[in-house]
Amino acid sequence: MELSALALFAAALLINSGTPGPSIAALVARVVTSGPKDVLPFLAAMWIGEVLWLAAAVLGLSVIAQSFHAVFVVIKYCGVAYLLYLAWRMWTASGAGERRESAPKGTAAQMFLAGFAVTMGNPKIMVFYLALLPAIIDLHGIEPGSFALLIATTMAVLMSVDLAWLAVASGARRMLKSQRAMRIANRCGAAAMGGAAAAIAVR
């Protein structure tokens, strides 16, 4: 694989992943209201999901993915339902004293499933890997070494972008000292989470 093609892929992925969308909105909202540790499973699931979409494109599985459209629709709406549930929990949290209570039990597993569902059901991500990626890189005859390089590049870009958003959201959370400020943050986070769910659902 030519380095110029890999650089073009990295730049395109940086733009696609760095542009605020439903996943970023959900990530920021959750960090502001519950802290950064709470979203680590969500982030891991997002990264795994994008690597799976990359593998689908490289291995020529786009036809199979289209054949199982109904499955992806179910996954998408499971993610939407959970994001709406999180939005409701954030909205009903009164302030700093309820910050921990706003996160449902089984947070790690549920956040992982939510991140995975959002990623696998996000049309923006689907289009990038199954439609745009073949126009950037010649996927015919990709060797294992080149595939590993693509995965490493994908992970490096995604981690850089998402951890940057996490840092910004964490900084904003630290500035929220009073109960009233936390209540406002919870309401804003709920609106962002609900908006993310709606954006994914209507696409």
Side-chain angles (χ1 to χ4, degrees):
M1 180 189 303
E2 295 182 358
L3 290 179
S4 58
L6 186 64
L8 181 60
F9 164 71
L13 180 60
L14 180 65
I15 295 172
N16 188 71
S17 61
T19 303
S23 298
I24 296 298
L27 170 65
V28 171
R30 194 62 178 174
V31 171
V32 169
T33 56
S34 300
K37 291 183 179 180
D38 186 57
V39 298
L40 294 181
F42 186 87
L43 283 174
M46 287 173 58
W47 299 336
I48 291 172
E50 295 222 22
V51 169
L52 289 178
W53 277 120
L54 172 66
V58 171
L59 298 176
L61 301 179
S62 59
V63 175
I64 296 178
Q66 292 171 6
S67 300
F68 287 90
H69 173 70
V71 175
F72 287 106
V73 169
V74 171
I75 292 174
K76 179 176 79 169
Y77 283 108
C78 286
V80 167
Y82 186 64
L83 290 179
L84 289 174
Y85 171 67
L86 291 178
W88 174 75
R89 291 299 298 266
M90 291 178 190
W91 188 270
T92 56
S94 65
E98 297 186 13
R99 226 179 302 171
R100 291 184 179 181
E101 296 178 8
S102 67
K105 295 180 180 180
T107 298
Q110 290 180 349
M111 288 301 289
F112 183 90
L113 291 175
F116 189 75
V118 166
T119 302
M120 298 306 292
N122 191 337
K124 175 186 174 184
I125 296 174
M126 293 182 195
V127 169
F128 178 80
Y129 288 104
L130 300 184
L132 298 182
L133 180 60
I136 298 172
I137 294 178
D138 183 7
L139 299 179
H140 298 290
I142 289 286
E143 299 176 354
S146 298
F147 185 36
L149 192 56
L150 280 173
I151 292 177
T153 302
T154 299
M155 290 298 295
V157 171
L158 294 177
M159 291 178 71
S160 298
V161 170
D162 292 337
L163 291 178
W165 279 108
L166 188 149
V168 170
S170 297
R173 183 174 186 269
R174 284 193 294 269
M175 293 189 298
L176 301 173
K177 302 293 185 180
S178 68
Q179 183 175 355
R180 181 174 181 274
M182 199 62 216
R183 184 186 302 116
I184 293 173
N186 283 337
R187 296 292 173 88
C188 292
M193 194 75 78
I200 293 174
V202 300
R203 289 185 181 180

